[in-house]
């Protein structure tokens, strides 16, 4: 049984600006400060709720001099967070006060939606939902609990043709088609409130995506453990002719990757072991964590990483 979105990973510009926006402006917790395991001169930031629960985690590879991406086919178009319905006014005022690029709130699938962009132009939105005020949330200095983000509502994928992608999401990840509005087909994972929706946007005629700052690199879906991940990989191979990579140990979860038929890079990530595996739960994100094989190079790595005066 799969459980919706695990995390979203995107590309950012300067590290300090990225860190400041997600922690101070959006009030997310920095739950892990590490490096890109495949490029250890670059940070890897994980932002989420207090524990970095699956379904709340947005991660970034910040590169100071990366060119802006161009949205296109085969890419995640928008990453959407849940907030209490009563918080939409607070966030609209905050975006004005902070100079955050945003649109006027609109209704999508009957829900109030406030679209905005991060400093790299990444497309984000808040959806106001009734009755979630009482859900636990990470309260930061500037964002009181009543207005805080409550994990992912959804992601939307921009596709030339949605058929192949829908087949994977329904057959392998257990999503169901629940609605359609204009060119958007909504899939939902029954019983999953956080990270349980994927919107497929048919956009034939768009150019292919060009990755860069503000682009989503991949979307990860949850598997409870290695056995469930292996079962999903088997299903992908046997029923859809898709091979995943070998399993990679990301320290906080274990992952396999594959490109789905619509061109978007998908990952299947285990819920275990989580972010408290290498530092206490009340100190997540406070110090730079390195995977075992890189610990011996800590001094050199720290010397090339950008300084983060506003870290915390
Ligand atoms: Zn990932």
């Amino acid at each position: 049984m799969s459980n919706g979105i695990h995390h979203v990973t995107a590309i950012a510009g300067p590290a300090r600006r990225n860190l400041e926006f997600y922690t101070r402006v959006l009030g997310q917790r920095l739950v892990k400060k590490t490096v890109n395991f495949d490029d250890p001169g670059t940070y890897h930031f994980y932002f989420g709720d207090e524990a970095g629960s699956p379904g709340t985690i947005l991660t970034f590879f910040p590169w100071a001099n990366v060119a802006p991406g161009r949205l296109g086919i085969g890419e995640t178009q928008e990453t959407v967070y849940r907030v209490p319905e009563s918080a939409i006014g607070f966030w609209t005022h905050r975006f004005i006060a902070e100079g955050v690029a945003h649109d006027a709130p609109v209704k999508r699938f009957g829900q109030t939606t406030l679209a905005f962009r991060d400093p790299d132009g990444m497309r984000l939105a808040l959806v106001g939902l009734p009755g979630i005020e009482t859900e636990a949330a990470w309260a930061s200095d500037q964002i009181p609990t009543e207005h805080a983000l409550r994990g992912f509502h959804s992601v939307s994928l921009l596709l030339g043709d949605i058929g192949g992608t829908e087949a994977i999401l329904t057959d392998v990840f257990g999503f169901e088609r629940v609605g359609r509005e204009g060119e958007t087909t909504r899939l939902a994972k029954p019983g999953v409130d956080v990270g349980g929706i994927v919107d497929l946007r048919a956009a034939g005629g768009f150019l292919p995506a060009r990755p860069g700052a503000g682009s989503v690199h991949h979307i990860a879906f949850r598997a409870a453990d290695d056995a469930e991940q292996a079962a999903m990989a088997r299903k992908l191979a046997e029923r859809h002719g898709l091979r995943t990579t070998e399993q990679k140990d990301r320290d906080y979860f274990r992952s396999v990757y594959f490109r789905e038929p619509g061109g978007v890079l998908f990952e299947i990530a285990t819920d275990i072991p989580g972010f408290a595996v290498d530092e206490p739960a009340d100190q997540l994100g406070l110090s730079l964590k390195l995977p075992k094989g890189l610990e011996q190079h800590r001094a050199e790595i720290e010397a090339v990483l950008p300084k983060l005066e506003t870290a915390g």
Side-chain angles (χ1 to χ4, degrees), residues 256-275:
V256 299
Y257 303 82
F258 66 99
R259 202 164 287 280
E260 57 83 29
V264 182
L265 185 60
F266 278 4
E267 171 182 346
I268 307 171
T270 57
D271 284 353
I272 53 171
F275 291 98

Side-chain angles (χ1 to χ4, degrees), residues 7 9 218 220 253 255 257 267:
H7 67 265
T9 292
H218 64 264
F253 42 83
S255 302
Y257 303 82
E267 171 182 346

Side-chain angles (χ1 to χ4, degrees), residues 14-285:
R16 211 170 76 184
R17 186 176 71 183
N18 177 255
L19 180 64
E20 197 268 347
F21 185 79
Y22 285 92
T23 56
R24 191 186 64 77
V25 178
L26 291 189
Q28 293 297 92
R29 187 178 193 190
L30 176 67
V31 293
K32 194 62 63 180
K33 181 167 55 181
T34 182
V35 294
N36 183 337
F37 290 8
D38 304 316
D39 175 16
T42 302
Y43 278 117
H44 193 182
F45 294 148
Y46 292 79
F47 303 105
D49 70 357
E50 180 170 6
S53 308
T56 75
I57 312 158
L58 179 56
T59 99
F60 287 93
F61 298 125
W63 279 297
N65 299 311
V66 67
R70 183 192 64 204
L71 179 68
I73 295 289
E75 193 182 31
T76 300
Q77 181 180 28
E78 193 178 52
T79 301
V80 184
Y81 283 101
R82 309 159 74 241
V83 295
E85 197 169 33
S86 54
I88 291 289
F90 168 89
W91 284 104
T92 305
H93 286 295
R94 183 161 180 82
F95 291 163
I96 292 167
E98 294 285 346
V100 176
H102 64 282
D103 299 336
V106 294
K107 291 275 186 194
R108 290 190 203 157
F109 291 92
Q111 296 168 328
T112 305
T113 307
L114 173 59
F116 66 104
R117 311 240 176 149
D118 83 356
D120 290 301
M122 179 172 167
R123 290 165 176 78
L124 299 153
L126 304 177
V127 167
L129 300 177
I132 67 169
E133 302 82 7
T134 52
E135 287 182 12
W138 173 252
S140 67
D141 293 348
Q142 299 191 20
I143 313 294
T145 310
E146 59 182 313
H147 302 311
L149 276 49
R150 261 88 171 168
F152 293 132
H153 171 268
S154 57
V155 294
S156 62
L157 310 182
L158 199 59
L159 303 164
D161 174 73
I162 71 168
T165 308
E166 182 172 8
I168 300 299
L169 285 164
T170 53
D171 187 46
V172 181
F173 297 130
F175 284 75
E176 294 176 2
R177 188 191 278 228
V178 295
R180 193 172 158 174
E181 194 173 271
E183 293 305 307
T184 303
T185 298
R186 172 157 290 186
L187 308 183
K189 171 82 186 173
V192 175
D193 292 331
V194 178
I197 294 173
V198 178
D199 284 336
L200 306 180
R201 297 212 171 128
F206 251 71
L207 291 167
R210 186 186 61 209
S215 299
V216 171
H217 185 264
H218 64 264
I219 301 292
F221 292 91
R222 298 173 63 178
D225 52 25
D226 296 333
E228 189 180 50
Q229 183 187 68
M232 289 170 167
R234 223 167 21 244
K235 211 168 189 183
L236 279 166
E238 287 170 5
R239 293 165 58 155
H240 302 276
L242 292 172
R243 278 196 180 285
T244 62
T245 62
E246 61 181 15
Q247 192 190 60
K248 296 183 193 293
D249 186 356
R250 298 312 190 187
D251 280 8
Y252 314 108
F253 42 83
R254 294 182 285 277
S255 302
V256 299
Y257 303 82
F258 66 99
R259 202 164 287 280
E260 57 83 29
V264 182
L265 185 60
F266 278 4
E267 171 182 346
I268 307 171
T270 57
D271 284 353
I272 53 171
F275 291 98
V277 71
D278 62 353
E279 57 189 340
D282 63 350
Q283 289 169 43
L284 296 182

Side-chain angles (χ1 to χ4, degrees), residues 35 40-43 288 290 297-308:
V35 294
T42 302
Y43 278 117
L288 178 70
L290 296 175
H297 302 296
R298 175 173 284 270
E300 300 121 85
I301 290 169
E302 287 183 341
V304 300
L305 287 171
K307 295 287 166 276
L308 302 172

